């Protein structure tokens, strides 16, 4: 028997292999290539809120450009904090941070209410600090997120993002004359086809970079057909540091703060779901401490962001899909993406280059990305036990409820504004419903039975044991007839006729 001890280096290597999957380190080139892929995936999403809010505030194109640069800069810093982490802050998971869509309508309402952009910044600061204080409450809900809840939420994340991909594929701008044209959709289809073909390539590096390479090739195709415009890349400053409080000091209005606090609650819910979702995809442990650290990073970034003229920060669900489709689980890849975002925020010229990527190209890649998120949720739901319980109706009701604001965006228009703010997000709707129904049926079991509803009875076929005992090896069904191992038909009699023998 060989009793020699392993060399220290080998032992250390074994310890590394046994470490968390998100701590994997790749080569510098691969790290930044995959990181850049993350940036391209979320770029359209991170620049849309400042475009919408800036336009609502009546800002000039130059001021809106300043808002965009600020959002890139702060999003990069928030991403680095979330992925690298410091004590009490950061989940250390591959999550990209950026301006949350959840608060766009509320911020526009604050602007139109007379508070202006200064009131928006003040409400974000105040509400985020309150959110920071209540994160311990949210971090304790991990036990209420079994696979039936997480799978439902992950599936809903993917499904609710599909309209975004479809809008991108059609051109992104509904007022444009070519919106939904065959050229735009054809470009999106070509990009999607390239993603699928590159994913089939035997080379692992090419397969994992399929999204990035497809975007580059798709942009090349667009340029060849005159659908990509790089003329504005050289316009404007090359280097610019975000000026603190460039639009004046923040103002604090009670009504605006209360409205924004509702947004913060939605953001905390969505980020909790994203942390759990990416944990499922990566295959790593996510406990209440990790959720709390992630939420605190979210709230700290949101509270500081108005200093640099940005807004609430949240995890980007579309990048969770990128982790799933590429299989690259390293948090340091996303940290590299955060560094790229910081550089883009400091170098507006590079931001303009990335902004020149045609929206249909993003849409073609987005269909695969967001579909992968939904597929990951379905894979999680496949682990759920559906026999003699109400899990099927939990999934059905929660996904259905989450699809309401996607299928009918005006559904909550006549509800109180606070209610609409929470449930206008399909992700939040599904998460709230799944958590409540899981509590009702799986935790508050008083009154439960083995067959609570028709949904339970219909979840599976049942064959009685005595019927199985009558079958012999080789018996099979063909065209509705029972055939034995010799190819002869076995007569099937009704229970009444059999009782006569």
């Amino acid at each position: 028997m060989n009793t020699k001890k392993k060399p220290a280096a080998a032992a250390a290597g074994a310890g590394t292999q046994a470490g968390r999957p998100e701590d994997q380190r790749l080569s510098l080139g691969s790290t930044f290539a995959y990181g850049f892929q993350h940036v391209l995936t979320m770029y359209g999403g991170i620049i849309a809120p400042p475009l919408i809010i800036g336009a609502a505030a009546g800002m000039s194109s130059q001021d809106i450009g300043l808002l965009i640069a600020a959002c890139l800069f702060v999003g990069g810093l928030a991403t680095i904090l979330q992925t690298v982490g410091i004590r009490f802050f950061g989940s250390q998971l591959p999550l990209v941070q950026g301006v949350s869509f959840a608060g766009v309508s509320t911020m526009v309402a604050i602007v139109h209410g007379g508070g202006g952009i200064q009131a928006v910044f003040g409400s974000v600061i105040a509400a985020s600090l309150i959110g920071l204080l209540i994160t311990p409450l949210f971090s304790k809900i991990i036990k209420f997120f079994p696979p039936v809840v997480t799978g439902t939420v992950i599936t809903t994340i993917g499904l609710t993002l599909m309209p975004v991909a479809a809008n991108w594929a059609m051109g992104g701008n509904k007022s444009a004359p070519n919106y939904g044209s065959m050229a735009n959709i054809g470009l999106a289809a070509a990009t999607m086809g390239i993603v699928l073909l590159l994913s089939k390539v035997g080379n692992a590096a090419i397969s994992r970079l399929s999204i990035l390479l497809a975007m580059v090739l798709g942009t090349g195709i667009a340029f060849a057909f005159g659908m990509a415009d790089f003329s504005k890349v050289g316009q404007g400053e090359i280097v610019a540091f975000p000026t603190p409080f460039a639009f004046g000091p923040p103002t604090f209005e009670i009504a605006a703060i209360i409205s924004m606090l509702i947004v913060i609650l939605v953001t905390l819910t969505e980020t909790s779901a994203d942390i759990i979702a990416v944990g499922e995809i990566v295959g790593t442990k996510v406990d209440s401490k990790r959720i709390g650290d992630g939420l605190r990073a979210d709230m700290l970034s949101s509270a500081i962001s108005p200093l640099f003229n940005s807004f609430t920060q949240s995890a980007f669900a579309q990048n969770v899909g990128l982790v799933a489709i590429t299989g690259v689980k390293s948090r340091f890849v996303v940290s590299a993406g955060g560094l790229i975002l910081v550089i883009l925020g400091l170098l507006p010229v590079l931001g303009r280059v990335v902004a020149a990527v045609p929206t249909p190209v993003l849409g073609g890649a987005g269909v695969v990305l967001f579909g992968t998120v939904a597929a990951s949720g379905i894979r999680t739901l496949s682990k759920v036990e559906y026999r003699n319980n109400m899990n099927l109706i939990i999934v059905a009701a929660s996904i259905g409820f989450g699809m309401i604001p996607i299928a009918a965006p005006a559904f909550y228009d006549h509800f109180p504004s606070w209610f609409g703010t929470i449930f206008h997000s399909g992700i939040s709707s599904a998460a709230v419903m799944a958590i409540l129904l899981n509590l009702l049926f799986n935790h508050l079991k008083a009154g439960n039975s083995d067959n609570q509803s028709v949904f339970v009875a219909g979840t599976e076929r049942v064959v009685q044991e005595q019927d199985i005992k009558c079958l012999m090896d080789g018996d099979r069904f063909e065209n509705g007839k029972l055939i034995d191992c010799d190819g002869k038909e076995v007569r099937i009699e009704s229970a009444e006729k059999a009782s006569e023998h």
Side-chain angles (χ1 to χ4, degrees):
M1 181 183 294
N2 185 1
T3 58
K4 291 183 180 180
K5 293 182 179 180
K6 293 181 180 180
T16 301
Q17 291 297 321
R20 302 183 307 181
E22 64 271 26
D23 293 336
Q24 177 190 14
R25 292 183 181 271
L26 309 178
S27 67
L28 189 64
S30 296
T31 296
F32 276 92
Y34 293 135
F36 187 58
Q37 190 169 238
H38 273 286
V39 172
L40 283 177
T41 301
M42 54 85 71
Y43 194 86
I46 199 172
I47 68 173
L51 280 171
I52 297 169
I53 297 166
M59 293 183 176
S60 65
S61 58
Q62 186 177 1
D63 286 341
I64 292 176
L66 192 155
L67 277 183
I68 292 173
C71 290
L72 292 171
F73 178 75
V74 174
L77 293 178
T79 299
I80 293 172
L81 176 62
Q82 187 70 266
T83 54
V84 175
I86 58 176
R87 186 173 175 81
F88 302 123
F89 296 93
S91 65
Q92 294 188 340
L93 285 167
L95 286 169
V96 178
Q97 301 288 117
V99 177
S100 171
F101 262 105
V104 170
S105 58
T106 298
M107 294 180 201
V108 169
I110 292 173
V111 168
H112 287 163
I117 196 70
Q118 294 88 355
V120 170
F121 290 144
S123 65
V124 169
I125 292 173
S128 299
L129 290 175
I130 296 172
L132 186 61
L133 294 175
I134 64 174
T135 50
L137 174 64
F138 271 79
S139 66
K140 299 297 182 184
I141 64 174
I142 182 67
K143 65 180 179 180
F144 301 119
F145 280 86
V148 68
V149 174
T150 58
T152 298
V153 173
I154 297 168
T155 302
T156 306
I157 288 173
L159 295 176
T160 56
L161 287 170
M162 290 310 297
V164 176
N167 180 53
W168 286 349
M170 296 174 75
N173 182 6
K174 294 183 179 180
S175 62
N178 66 340
Y179 182 75
S181 67
M182 287 297 295
N184 283 344
I185 295 175
L187 179 58
T191 304
M192 179 180 172
I194 294 171
V195 172
L196 298 177
L197 288 174
L198 292 179
S199 298
K200 186 177 174 61
V201 173
N203 187 291
I206 292 178
S207 181
R208 287 181 169 183
L209 284 171
S210 57
I211 298 294
L212 173 60
L213 295 175
M215 287 183 179
V216 173
L217 293 174
T219 302
I221 294 172
F223 185 76
F225 285 91
M227 297 175 66
D229 182 14
F230 290 91
S231 61
K232 298 180 180 179
V233 170
Q235 299 177 6
E237 296 178 314
I238 296 177
V239 180
F241 188 86
T243 305
F245 298 129
F247 301 101
T251 59
F252 300 92
E253 301 179 0
I254 297 298
I257 292 171
I258 293 174
S259 298
M260 191 56 61
L261 183 57
I262 296 171
V263 173
I264 289 298
L265 294 175
V266 173
T267 300
L268 287 170
T269 304
E270 289 188 339
T271 300
S272 296
D274 287 332
I275 290 173
I276 293 169
V278 81
E280 286 274 347
I281 291 169
V282 170
T284 191
K285 181 182 179 182
V286 174
D287 54 17
S288 60
K289 179 183 180 303
R290 209 163 190 187
I291 294 176
D293 290 347
L295 295 179
R296 277 189 288 273
D298 230 24
M299 292 298 98
L300 180 64
S301 300
S302 297
I304 294 175
S305 64
L307 172 66
F308 296 103
N309 316 298
S310 187
F311 311 102
T312 52
Q313 301 295 304
S314 179
F316 268 56
Q318 52 261 54
N319 290 84
V320 175
L322 186 58
V323 173
I325 196 173
T326 62
V328 180
K329 304 172 181 178
S330 172
R331 60 190 173 101
F332 301 110
V333 163
V334 178
S335 299
L339 182 59
I340 293 171
L341 285 173
V342 172
I343 294 172
L344 289 174
L346 296 175
L347 299 174
V349 63
L350 294 182
R352 292 192 292 271
V353 171
V354 178
V357 174
T359 308
V361 171
L362 297 175
V367 170
V368 182
L369 282 174
F370 306 156
T372 304
V373 178
S376 297
I378 294 170
R379 182 176 59 190
T380 300
L381 289 174
S382 69
K383 305 174 186 176
V384 176
E385 175 60 55
Y386 295 100
R387 185 177 180 179
N388 293 333
N389 57 45
M390 292 292 286
N391 282 338
L392 185 66
I393 197 171
I394 292 174
V395 174
S398 301
I399 292 180
F401 192 58
M403 289 298 99
I404 288 176
I406 307 304
F411 191 86
Y412 295 113
D413 282 3
H414 297 290
F415 282 69
S417 58
W418 64 268
F419 189 93
T421 300
I422 295 173
F423 291 101
H424 186 71
S425 165
I427 299 171
S428 295
S429 298
V432 170
M433 180 63 78
I435 293 169
L436 292 179
L437 291 182
N438 179 57
L439 284 172
L440 177 63
F441 294 126
N442 292 333
H443 289 268
L444 305 175
K445 294 187 177 182
N448 284 7
S449 67
D450 285 344
N451 290 288
Q452 292 98 325
S453 78
V454 68
F455 291 96
V456 176
T459 56
E460 57 180 13
R461 292 176 58 199
V462 177
V463 178
Q464 294 187 11
E465 186 178 358
Q466 59 265 33
D467 297 330
I468 297 294
K469 289 179 178 178
C470 295
L471 298 176
M472 298 181 181
D473 289 341
D475 288 351
R476 64 192 184 278
F477 273 95
E478 291 182 3
N479 299 321
K481 298 178 180 180
L482 180 60
I483 308 297
D484 66 15
C485 60
D486 296 323
K488 297 179 181 179
E489 181 181 354
V490 179
R491 190 172 71 252
I492 301 176
E493 291 183 345
S494 65
E496 293 81 3
K497 191 169 184 179
S499 65
E500 296 175 0
H501 297 303

